[in-house]
Amino acid sequence: MTDTIYTTSPNPIALVTGGSRGLGRSTVQSLAWRGIRSIFTYHSNRAQADEVVAEVTANGGQAIALQLDVGNVSSFEAFSAQVRTALSSLGADKLDFLVNNAGTSHHNAIAKTTEQELDALYNVHFKGVFFLTQTLLPLLRDGGRIVNISSGLTRITIPNSAPYASMKGAVEVLTRYLAVELGKRGIAANTVAPGAIQTDFSGGAVRDDPELNRFVASNTALGRAGLPDDIGPLIASLLAEDNRWINAQRIEASGGMFI
């Protein structure tokens, strides 16, 4: 008798939240380069999402954009129905991968953070991740994989980052429990924790503020701030068969920041 080795489908499909910009956009593009089709979400900027679809299509891939507010749990059942329809249009009935990437930034001290601010962070970064994953589990193929996006801020401490980092810390714990509970289905779950990346996150601060960019570079072993394409290919690689035995791990991608 041999052990069961789960594999994904020949034409796999990933669902990526927040895929219209930044790390999510790079992830969708990186998946397309590997022949993986995507259903990705955007919050409000349809034109930006259409650009991603056009880019993927121009390179011979397939991508479908769906609107979703990941902080609105009450919308998840209706969203699941939309995902089923999108899968059907792709000739499939299951997802192979789920990447929980969508997020919002927040910068405030513990002493000054309001209940409303903390609730907003919780709804998007933990509650949303928890219940969207729960909602989509029936659509996730046995042998599939989940990647949750955390932050380098769960390891290092930066002023005015505690509320945001705390939510990401909760996601890291949740990921380990997902790995245990879903292991019987052959589903692996890992966390990717990016360092400071040059995107429009936090108003584009790392990208557009020269002083902050120099500070990040001077405290990073590889001598620069990160780029979206430092992260998207990593996420895509975790979904490859070569990495099927990686499970319940926190993988930091920061270029060696604050070591």
Side-chain angles (χ1 to χ4, degrees):
M1 181 176 178
T2 58
D3 293 335
T4 299
I5 297 179
Y6 290 90
T7 59
T8 52
S9 59
N11 299 295
I13 300 170
L15 191 145
V16 181
T17 65
S20 63
R21 60 185 184 140
L23 307 187
R25 184 172 188 153
S26 178
T27 299
V28 171
Q29 293 168 333
S30 297
L31 290 169
W33 295 334
R34 289 163 171 79
I36 298 173
R37 300 171 291 172
S38 292
I39 300 168
F40 71 91
T41 74
Y42 66 98
H43 182 258
S44 57
N45 193 330
R46 178 73 206 199
Q48 205 169 42
D50 287 342
E51 287 178 6
V52 178
V53 172
E55 289 171 0
V56 170
T57 303
N59 287 296
Q62 287 181 288
I64 295 173
L66 299 177
Q67 195 280 330
L68 180 67
D69 177 357
V70 295
N72 181 9
V73 172
S74 66
S75 70
F76 289 176
E77 282 302 325
F79 175 72
S80 178
Q82 289 182 298
V83 173
R84 289 179 186 274
T85 300
L87 285 169
S88 179
S89 73
L90 294 170
D93 60 358
K94 296 284 187 180
L95 296 165
D96 297 88
F97 313 121
L98 172 61
V99 180
N100 286 303
N101 164 74
T104 56
S105 65
H106 177 268
H107 302 280
N108 209 351
I110 294 171
K112 295 181 179 179
T113 296
T114 66
E115 182 180 3
Q116 183 179 16
E117 287 176 322
L118 194 65
D119 284 345
L121 282 170
Y122 170 72
N123 288 338
V124 170
H125 290 280
F126 184 76
K127 185 179 179 181
V129 171
F130 186 103
F131 284 108
L132 184 61
T133 302
Q134 181 191 80
T135 300
L136 294 177
L137 280 179
L139 293 179
L140 188 61
R141 190 182 306 278
D142 289 356
R145 294 181 200 107
I146 297 171
V147 175
N148 294 325
I149 305 305
S150 180
S151 170
L153 293 169
T154 62
R155 177 180 64 84
I156 63 174
T157 57
I158 297 293
N160 299 325
S161 299
Y164 173 84
S166 296
M167 297 302 164
K168 290 301 190 182
V171 167
E172 292 182 7
V173 174
L174 171 64
T175 304
R176 294 198 297 274
Y177 277 86
L178 285 171
V180 171
E181 292 195 17
L182 301 180
K184 60 182 177 291
R185 292 181 53 192
I187 296 172
N190 293 288
T191 304
V192 169
I197 308 294
Q198 299 181 69
T199 67
D200 57 4
F201 201 67
S202 296
V206 175
R207 180 191 61 208
D208 301 334
D209 183 336
E211 183 176 349
L212 178 58
N213 193 285
R214 284 192 295 270
F215 172 78
V216 170
S218 67
N219 286 286
T220 300
L222 292 180
R224 63 171 174 85
L227 299 169
D229 286 345
D230 293 321
I231 307 300
L234 165 61
I235 296 169
S237 73
L238 278 176
L239 306 179
E241 283 298 302
D242 288 349
N243 288 324
R244 68 182 178 216
W245 204 236
I246 297 176
N247 195 20
Q249 300 303 303
R250 176 192 186 273
I251 300 168
E252 182 170 316
S254 66
M257 191 173 179
F258 287 105
I259 56 174

